[in-house]
Amino acid sequence: MDNKINCKIDNGISVGTAIGKVILIGEHSVVYGKPAIAVPFHAAKVKTTIYGRKGPVGIDCFYHKGPLTDAPRVIDGLTQVIKGIVHSFSEELEDFSISIESTIPPERGMGSSAAVAIATIRGLYDFFGRMLTHEELLKWANMSEKIVHGNPSGIDAAVISREKTLFYIKGEPFMPFEFNLNAYLIVGDTGRKGKTKDAVEGVRKYVETNPRKGKYYIEELERIAMEAKDSIESNDPERLGRLMTEAHIILDRLGVSDDGLNALVSKALDSGALGAKLTGGGKGGCMIALASNKEEADNISKSLLDSGAKNTWISRLGDDLVDK
Ligand code: PMV
């Protein structure tokens, strides 16, 4: 039975939404307390709809359609958050159904898990008629992210909940800043799932077994993030591009890139990009490239698609990221 069509609505309907994110610089080193820059990704969205419906709680999403009690482990973060929120309201876990529609490709480094959690938290608070503070939103989203990723820096939840570009340092107050850069960002999707949890664990092992080199790479990524901030503030796209490529080389050495990502990064550079790198956890997922104008961005996007990218998006940096 399709709950979306056949449900008996007796408690109204609530909707929560959220957008994706793209990490410009600083993934992985951000887990070690170093700065990172991430931008909201408005082209891809999640919409969670909560329906009043008699009986056990049902969920309809990318990974599962059926009772919440039968949900697979892959959505354990979300399941635990739903249970936790309902429990915190002293309500029973019954008589509603959750439907999640998303255009954020899952497990591609675009913040799908955090966005799904945030849209669902918003929907649930609305459904039960409770006020949601930003602190509570972050608390629940980070609880889900911990279950999904193990040791998240919190950058995804921070950017997605605020929908603002952030210069992010774990545990420090959020620092939004304005983009002042005449450049275009291209996002290329390998079409393959990234493996953020494995990648974060791989970096941890690398740093443990190669302490000297590991420390050096993390510190290099810190320097690159600081210089990237400076290059954005001084409207220097060439410098930002060079820094992005430098970051990619280090991420590759840390073992979080793969042949597919490296091929798309090389293709973007050969097609005139100012710089290119993987974005997010890596080991699959997405890459990004920087172009000085729209025409070059279009060329790079086309080359990426011709080389096997499943999808691309283009946006002027500082504007909302939109579909190409
Ligand atoms: O793959 P994503 O979109 O979840 O991004 C992960 C970013 C990392 O720095 C690799 C991990 C983290 O928790 O910040």
Side-chain angles (χ1 to χ4, degrees):
M1 189 174 82
D2 187 341
N3 295 336
K4 275 183 248 176
I5 297 165
N6 296 324
C7 66
K8 176 176 174 291
I9 299 165
D10 50 15
N11 276 334
I13 290 178
S14 290
V15 172
T17 59
I19 56 160
K21 69 96 222 301
V22 168
I23 298 180
L24 202 59
I25 213 97
E27 51 275 273
H28 287 289
S29 45
V30 69
V31 173
Y32 297 82
K34 307 301 186 196
I37 299 170
V39 296
F41 184 75
H42 288 264
K45 290 189 171 65
V46 178
K47 178 178 162 195
T48 296
T49 309
I50 321 261
Y51 302 83
R53 172 180 165 272
K54 285 282 170 222
V57 174
I59 185 159
D60 180 355
C61 66
F62 181 80
Y63 291 106
H64 179 66
K65 183 174 180 175
L68 188 67
T69 44
D70 294 349
R73 287 201 60 180
V74 66
I75 60 163
D76 217 23
L78 185 65
T79 307
Q80 295 310 324
V81 162
I82 295 165
K83 288 181 179 168
I85 289 175
V86 173
H87 181 74
S88 77
F89 294 161
S90 305
E91 298 278 356
E92 295 301 320
L93 197 64
E94 60 189 20
D95 294 343
F96 67 92
S97 208
I98 300 172
S99 168
I100 300 171
E101 296 158 84
S102 177
T103 58
I104 306 178
E107 300 178 65
R108 301 286 219 293
M110 287 192 196
S112 163
S113 59
V116 165
I118 286 173
T120 306
I121 296 161
R122 286 176 170 152
L124 279 171
Y125 269 71
D126 188 65
F127 184 77
F128 287 101
R130 312 291 163 120
M131 280 288 293
L132 177 62
T133 63
H134 192 252
E135 286 66 35
E136 276 170 306
L137 179 61
L138 274 182
K139 179 191 86 176
W140 291 117
N142 280 323
M143 174 181 153
S144 169
E145 287 291 276
K146 264 198 190 104
I147 297 169
V148 176
H149 292 316
N151 178 29
S153 64
I155 190 168
D156 287 14
V159 177
I160 291 168
S161 63
R162 299 221 158 211
E163 302 194 5
K164 292 238 181 310
T165 297
L166 291 184
F167 182 75
Y168 179 87
I169 302 174
K170 191 176 174 175
E172 293 202 0
F174 299 145
M175 285 176 263
F177 74 108
E178 293 300 318
F179 260 87
N180 172 35
L181 197 79
N182 291 328
Y184 282 78
L185 190 72
I186 303 107
V187 181
D189 182 2
T190 61
R192 289 176 295 106
K193 287 181 180 176
K195 299 182 187 76
T196 302
K197 197 172 182 177
D198 289 1
V200 169
E201 182 57 17
V203 172
R204 190 186 64 74
K205 281 196 184 128
Y206 186 97
V207 171
E208 255 175 40
T209 43
N210 306 278
R212 201 179 52 81
K213 258 199 208 164
K215 185 167 178 284
Y216 172 72
Y217 288 149
I218 299 292
E219 282 173 1
E220 275 296 278
L221 290 171
E222 174 183 27
R223 173 193 59 80
I224 290 170
M226 298 303 293
E227 288 192 27
K229 181 169 185 275
D230 191 53
S231 68
I232 291 164
E233 285 167 345
S234 54
N235 189 15
D236 191 345
E238 280 81 15
R239 184 167 166 226
L240 179 64
R242 282 194 301 275
L243 291 164
M244 285 167 61
T245 310
E246 267 187 61
H248 181 77
I249 293 166
I250 294 173
L251 290 166
D252 189 27
R253 291 198 182 143
L254 281 169
V256 296
S257 190
D258 67 7
D259 290 349
L261 282 164
N262 289 347
L264 290 184
V265 165
S266 298
K267 192 73 200 172
L269 294 172
D270 290 348
S271 312
L274 301 173
K277 62 184 278 292
L278 66 83
T279 182
K283 287 183 178 273
C286 289
M287 49 74 67
I288 53 175
L290 197 70
S292 31
N293 58 51
K294 179 72 167 54
E295 200 186 332
E296 285 179 15
D298 285 336
N299 282 340
I300 294 162
S301 161
K302 190 174 173 312
S303 302
L304 292 175
L305 290 168
D306 289 346
S307 311
K310 184 149 184 252
N311 200 0
T312 59
W313 295 261
I314 296 174
S315 105
R316 213 183 80 81
L317 266 175
D319 293 348
D320 292 347
L321 282 170
V322 291
D323 267 305
K324 63 187 183 313

